[in-house]
Amino acid sequence: MPALARLGRIGLAAGTAVVLATGLSTNAQAATGTIRYFDGGQEFRISNPPDNVCINLQARPDLISNETNKTLRVFLNPNCFTFITDLEPGRAAAHIGGPQSVRIIG
């Protein structure tokens, strides 16, 4: 039985090493650049937003600009509900209903 227990511990140690080497080494991806949006002349910015994470906006913008290197998906409601449009890098949109959330898709 001690040999079987030792084999189990070796297997557990090897499995843990694999998880640590692969699971912890992956970094979250993020777009490079800034999402800018404007509400009544006030400017808001989101720098280097993470990929595939819904971001609720602080205001309902009249204009939203994608100055990142990835496509920006724009939603009418909070929590990325009710798709409006996609903005390719370098594009902006005005008067699209006052979106409340966005997500970088990449």
Side-chain angles (χ1 to χ4, degrees), residues 1 8 12 21 33 62 74 101:
M1 188 67 157
L12 180 61
D62 303 318
V74 182
S101 57

Side-chain angles (χ1 to χ4, degrees), residues 19-73:
V19 168
L20 289 174
T22 59
L24 299 180
S25 66
T26 59
N27 294 329
Q29 297 295 312
T32 301
T34 304
I35 299 167
R36 296 174 59 209
Y37 59 102
F38 301 85
D39 178 34
Q42 184 174 2
E43 179 180 1
F44 298 87
R45 292 175 177 247
I46 303 168
S47 296
N48 302 321
D51 288 359
N52 300 311
V53 173
C54 184
I55 300 169
N56 289 323
L57 303 177
Q58 296 177 12
R60 296 188 78 159
D62 303 318
L63 172 70
I64 188 164
S65 176
N66 181 10
E67 298 173 5
T68 72
N69 63 336
K70 297 186 179 180
T71 300
L72 177 67
R73 185 156 284 171

Side-chain angles (χ1 to χ4, degrees), residues 73-77 81-86 93 96-101:
R73 185 156 284 171
V74 182
F75 297 88
L76 181 61
N77 296 309
F81 183 71
T82 311
F83 170 77
I84 296 176
T85 190
D86 284 340
I96 55 174
Q100 295 185 44
S101 57

